[in-house]
Short mmCIF file of all heavy atoms in Angstrom, two decimals:
data_model
loop_
_atom_site.label_atom_id
_atom_site.label_comp_id
_atom_site.label_asym_id
_atom_site.label_seq_id
_atom_site.Cartn_x
_atom_site.Cartn_y
_atom_site.Cartn_z
N LEU S 754 64.36 99.94 -195.55
CA LEU S 754 64.18 98.62 -194.96
C LEU S 754 63.20 98.71 -193.79
O LEU S 754 63.38 99.54 -192.89
CB LEU S 754 65.53 98.06 -194.47
CG LEU S 754 66.59 97.87 -195.55
CD1 LEU S 754 67.89 97.39 -194.94
CD2 LEU S 754 66.12 96.89 -196.61
N TYR S 755 62.19 97.87 -193.83
CA TYR S 755 61.17 97.83 -192.78
C TYR S 755 61.11 96.43 -192.18
O TYR S 755 61.27 95.42 -192.88
CB TYR S 755 59.78 98.17 -193.35
CG TYR S 755 59.62 99.60 -193.79
CD1 TYR S 755 60.02 100.01 -195.06
CD2 TYR S 755 59.03 100.55 -192.95
CE1 TYR S 755 59.87 101.33 -195.48
CE2 TYR S 755 58.86 101.87 -193.36
CZ TYR S 755 59.29 102.25 -194.62
OH TYR S 755 59.12 103.55 -195.02
N LYS S 756 60.85 96.38 -190.87
CA LYS S 756 60.59 95.09 -190.23
C LYS S 756 59.09 94.83 -190.27
O LYS S 756 58.28 95.75 -190.09
CB LYS S 756 61.07 95.09 -188.78
CG LYS S 756 60.85 93.74 -188.08
CD LYS S 756 61.35 93.75 -186.64
CE LYS S 756 61.10 92.38 -185.99
NZ LYS S 756 61.57 92.34 -184.58
N GLY S 757 58.73 93.58 -190.51
CA GLY S 757 57.33 93.23 -190.56
C GLY S 757 57.11 91.80 -190.13
O GLY S 757 58.07 91.04 -189.88
N PHE S 758 55.83 91.44 -190.01
CA PHE S 758 55.46 90.07 -189.63
C PHE S 758 54.43 89.56 -190.63
O PHE S 758 53.41 90.23 -190.87
CB PHE S 758 54.89 90.03 -188.21
CG PHE S 758 55.89 90.33 -187.13
CD1 PHE S 758 56.11 91.63 -186.71
CD2 PHE S 758 56.64 89.31 -186.57
CE1 PHE S 758 57.03 91.93 -185.73
CE2 PHE S 758 57.58 89.59 -185.59
CZ PHE S 758 57.78 90.90 -185.16
N LEU S 759 54.71 88.41 -191.22
CA LEU S 759 53.75 87.81 -192.13
C LEU S 759 52.56 87.26 -191.35
O LEU S 759 52.54 87.25 -190.12
CB LEU S 759 54.43 86.69 -192.93
CG LEU S 759 55.63 87.13 -193.78
CD1 LEU S 759 56.22 85.94 -194.54
CD2 LEU S 759 55.26 88.24 -194.75
N GLU S 760 51.57 86.80 -192.08
CA GLU S 760 50.33 86.34 -191.44
C GLU S 760 50.57 85.18 -190.49
O GLU S 760 49.84 85.00 -189.52
CB GLU S 760 49.32 85.95 -192.52
CG GLU S 760 48.85 87.14 -193.37
CD GLU S 760 47.91 86.71 -194.48
OE1 GLU S 760 47.72 85.48 -194.64
OE2 GLU S 760 47.37 87.59 -195.16
N ASP S 761 51.58 84.36 -190.77
CA ASP S 761 51.88 83.22 -189.89
C ASP S 761 52.83 83.60 -188.76
O ASP S 761 53.33 82.74 -188.04
CB ASP S 761 52.46 82.06 -190.69
CG ASP S 761 53.65 82.48 -191.54
OD1 ASP S 761 54.06 83.66 -191.43
OD2 ASP S 761 54.15 81.65 -192.31
N GLY S 762 53.10 84.90 -188.60
CA GLY S 762 53.93 85.37 -187.50
C GLY S 762 55.42 85.36 -187.77
O GLY S 762 56.21 85.70 -186.89
N ILE S 763 55.85 84.99 -188.97
CA ILE S 763 57.27 84.94 -189.28
C ILE S 763 57.80 86.36 -189.47
O ILE S 763 57.26 87.13 -190.26
CB ILE S 763 57.52 84.12 -190.56
CG1 ILE S 763 57.08 82.66 -190.35
CG2 ILE S 763 58.98 84.19 -190.98
CD1 ILE S 763 57.24 81.80 -191.58
N PRO S 764 58.86 86.75 -188.72
CA PRO S 764 59.41 88.09 -188.90
C PRO S 764 60.21 88.19 -190.19
O PRO S 764 60.95 87.27 -190.55
CB PRO S 764 60.31 88.26 -187.66
CG PRO S 764 60.69 86.88 -187.29
CD PRO S 764 59.53 85.98 -187.66
N VAL S 765 60.07 89.30 -190.89
CA VAL S 765 60.75 89.50 -192.16
C VAL S 765 61.27 90.93 -192.22
O VAL S 765 60.90 91.79 -191.44
CB VAL S 765 59.82 89.23 -193.36
CG1 VAL S 765 59.43 87.77 -193.44
CG2 VAL S 765 58.59 90.13 -193.30
N VAL S 766 62.16 91.16 -193.19
CA VAL S 766 62.61 92.50 -193.53
C VAL S 766 62.17 92.77 -194.96
O VAL S 766 62.41 91.95 -195.86
CB VAL S 766 64.14 92.64 -193.40
CG1 VAL S 766 64.60 93.97 -193.98
CG2 VAL S 766 64.55 92.52 -191.96
N ILE S 767 61.51 93.89 -195.17
CA ILE S 767 60.96 94.23 -196.48
C ILE S 767 61.69 95.46 -197.00
O ILE S 767 61.71 96.50 -196.35
CB ILE S 767 59.45 94.49 -196.39
CG1 ILE S 767 58.73 93.23 -195.86
CG2 ILE S 767 58.89 94.90 -197.75
CD1 ILE S 767 57.27 93.44 -195.55
N LYS S 768 62.30 95.32 -198.18
CA LYS S 768 62.96 96.46 -198.81
C LYS S 768 61.98 97.12 -199.77
O LYS S 768 61.44 96.48 -200.67
CB LYS S 768 64.21 96.02 -199.56
CG LYS S 768 64.93 97.19 -200.26
CD LYS S 768 66.08 96.72 -201.13
CE LYS S 768 67.26 96.29 -200.31
NZ LYS S 768 68.44 96.01 -201.16
N ARG S 769 61.80 98.40 -199.55
CA ARG S 769 60.90 99.19 -200.39
C ARG S 769 61.73 100.00 -201.37
O ARG S 769 62.43 100.93 -200.99
CB ARG S 769 60.05 100.11 -199.50
CG ARG S 769 58.97 100.87 -200.23
CD ARG S 769 58.24 101.76 -199.22
NE ARG S 769 57.00 102.30 -199.77
CZ ARG S 769 56.17 103.08 -199.08
NH1 ARG S 769 56.46 103.40 -197.81
NH2 ARG S 769 55.08 103.55 -199.65
N VAL S 770 61.66 99.63 -202.65
CA VAL S 770 62.48 100.26 -203.69
C VAL S 770 61.62 101.25 -204.46
O VAL S 770 60.69 100.86 -205.17
CB VAL S 770 63.07 99.20 -204.65
CG1 VAL S 770 63.98 99.86 -205.66
CG2 VAL S 770 63.82 98.13 -203.87
N ASP S 771 61.90 102.53 -204.30
CA ASP S 771 61.19 103.59 -205.01
C ASP S 771 61.91 103.86 -206.32
O ASP S 771 62.99 104.46 -206.35
CB ASP S 771 61.14 104.85 -204.14
CG ASP S 771 60.33 105.96 -204.78
OD1 ASP S 771 59.80 105.74 -205.90
OD2 ASP S 771 60.23 107.06 -204.18
N LEU S 772 61.32 103.42 -207.44
CA LEU S 772 61.99 103.54 -208.73
C LEU S 772 62.06 104.98 -209.22
O LEU S 772 62.77 105.26 -210.20
CB LEU S 772 61.27 102.67 -209.77
CG LEU S 772 61.25 101.17 -209.48
CD1 LEU S 772 60.62 100.41 -210.63
CD2 LEU S 772 62.66 100.65 -209.23
N LEU S 773 61.35 105.90 -208.57
CA LEU S 773 61.43 107.30 -208.97
C LEU S 773 62.69 107.96 -208.43
O LEU S 773 63.12 109.00 -208.94
CB LEU S 773 60.19 108.06 -208.46
CG LEU S 773 58.84 107.58 -209.03
CD1 LEU S 773 57.71 108.39 -208.43
CD2 LEU S 773 58.84 107.68 -210.55
#
Side-chain angles (χ1 to χ4, degrees):
L754 299 177
Y755 291 84
K756 182 179 180 180
F758 292 89
L759 301 180
E760 294 177 354
D761 52 5
I763 297 177
V765 293
V766 171
I767 300 171
K768 179 186 286 188
R769 186 181 193 179
V770 184
D771 184 0
L772 299 185
L773 298 179

